[in-house]
Amino acid sequence: MVPNFNEDQLHFCAWLIIGLAVFVFITSFCMTLPYGRYSPYNLKFGVNARLAWVLQECPSFLVPFAMFLISDGMREIVSLDVSPNVVLLLMFMIHYFRRSFIYPLWIRKTAPSPFYTFLPGFVVCTINGYMQGQYHLHVRRYPKEWFHSLQFVFGSFLFLLGFVINVHSDYFLTHLRKPGETGHKIPRGGLFEYISCPNFFGEIVEWGGYWLASSSFVAFAFFFNTLVVIGTRACHHHRFYQEKFEDYPKNRKALIPFIL
């Protein structure tokens, strides 16, 4: 049986997620984590990049989905009388269904993921999936009027906007090279003209919207973790492009157009 954590225990999990983000931020000044383009190809103990993505990200979908199936959420969908709780959790699960089972199919040849970076990601996704599922299914109950609140309406809009930006940018990046090509290219077009990592920008906007729509501490903890962890990655990627390409656009920022 799945343990029924109360709100205080879930807030403790949220603080762990925040603490991890702070740890990643501090260590980023000393080293760049070996993932993706920064990971060596000759790892003795590495996980295939596609497999690593599936295994690492899928707990954020499978854990709340399993909880959803044995809750009133499924009955709400069948009866076409869904609550804000169900909609919020569906937003979370839709993102991670794509991230776990669709995005890995877009990944082309890349270095394997080190086990010591894959494992923490798996643990965080498991904790976060349980935290979001438990909170929105069993801890807080939103009234139907929440659908009409400014927080929910504007937050849902931001979530959808960020989701579209994230998906489009991911697709563009993973299809930047033609079949058989290797190496890196300068992305051009769309938001890539303004920032190096619109995929990360989109995901931050997405989870900022989710936090606003939920207005919960567990959603804020996830947003904060996302902002810090992939914001740090965006700065690393921006520096990578600047060092690798002499003609890299000088006016292009790392993460936020015209600002950062």
Side-chain angles (χ1 to χ4, degrees):
M1 179 176 292
V2 177
N4 188 11
F5 283 13
N6 60 35
E7 189 167 4
D8 289 339
Q9 291 167 319
L10 291 179
H11 282 181
F12 175 76
C13 293
W15 278 113
L16 287 178
I17 298 293
I18 291 174
L20 176 65
V22 173
F23 174 77
V24 170
F25 178 74
I26 294 173
T27 56
S28 69
F29 290 98
C30 306
M31 60 177 292
T32 301
L33 290 177
Y35 59 88
R37 69 191 66 183
Y38 313 110
S39 183
Y41 277 88
N42 58 347
L43 281 174
K44 292 183 179 179
F45 301 101
V47 184
N48 175 273
R50 284 183 174 178
L51 180 61
W53 266 108
V54 173
L55 296 179
Q56 175 180 307
E57 303 289 313
C58 73
S60 282
F61 170 77
L62 294 178
V63 172
F65 181 65
M67 297 170 66
F68 183 81
L69 290 178
I70 59 177
S71 72
D72 292 335
M74 185 57 68
R75 287 190 287 272
E76 288 184 22
I77 289 182
V78 172
S79 64
L80 300 179
D81 185 25
V82 296
S83 65
N85 297 69
V86 168
V87 173
L88 287 165
L89 193 56
L90 285 176
M91 290 162 62
F92 181 82
M93 291 193 297
I94 286 171
H95 170 93
Y96 274 103
F97 178 83
R98 184 197 79 86
R99 178 63 72 182
S100 303
F101 306 113
I102 297 177
Y103 174 73
L105 298 177
W106 297 352
I107 298 176
R108 301 194 174 177
K109 185 179 180 182
T110 187
S113 298
F115 189 76
Y116 53 83
T117 58
F118 154 75
L119 184 59
F122 172 83
V123 172
V124 169
C125 284
T126 302
I127 294 174
N128 190 43
Y130 179 79
M131 185 171 68
Q132 303 299 330
Q134 184 69 20
Y135 184 86
H136 290 104
L137 290 175
H138 301 298
V139 172
R140 181 174 180 180
R141 198 67 193 171
Y142 296 86
K144 285 291 183 68
E145 291 77 18
W146 189 256
F147 280 130
H148 307 290
S149 68
L150 181 62
Q151 300 100 306
F152 184 85
V153 173
F154 187 56
S156 298
F157 168 75
L158 287 179
F159 177 87
L160 180 60
L161 176 65
F163 182 81
V164 171
I165 294 173
N166 179 242
V167 172
H168 176 266
S169 302
D170 274 347
Y171 183 86
F172 186 90
L173 282 175
T174 52
H175 292 75
L176 191 59
R177 292 186 304 224
K178 296 178 181 179
E181 287 186 332
T182 58
H184 294 90
K185 293 183 175 182
I186 299 177
R188 299 187 185 277
L191 280 177
F192 285 101
E193 294 298 321
Y194 303 96
I195 50 179
S196 296
C197 301
N199 52 325
F200 293 161
F201 172 74
E203 190 163 352
I204 289 171
V205 171
E206 190 179 350
W207 296 125
Y210 174 74
W211 165 40
L212 185 59
S214 170
S215 295
S216 65
F217 183 61
V218 295
F220 166 76
F222 179 41
F223 164 70
F224 180 84
N225 182 276
T226 302
L227 174 65
V228 173
V229 173
I230 68 175
T232 301
R233 291 183 183 179
C235 293
H236 289 162
H237 286 1
H238 186 63
R239 184 175 60 196
F240 170 86
Y241 283 127
Q242 289 178 319
E243 292 176 350
K244 187 173 182 63
F245 301 103
E246 293 183 359
D247 59 338
Y248 196 70
K250 303 297 183 183
N251 62 337
R252 191 177 297 188
K253 299 298 184 180
L255 182 64
I256 303 175
F258 311 112
I259 299 175
L260 175 65

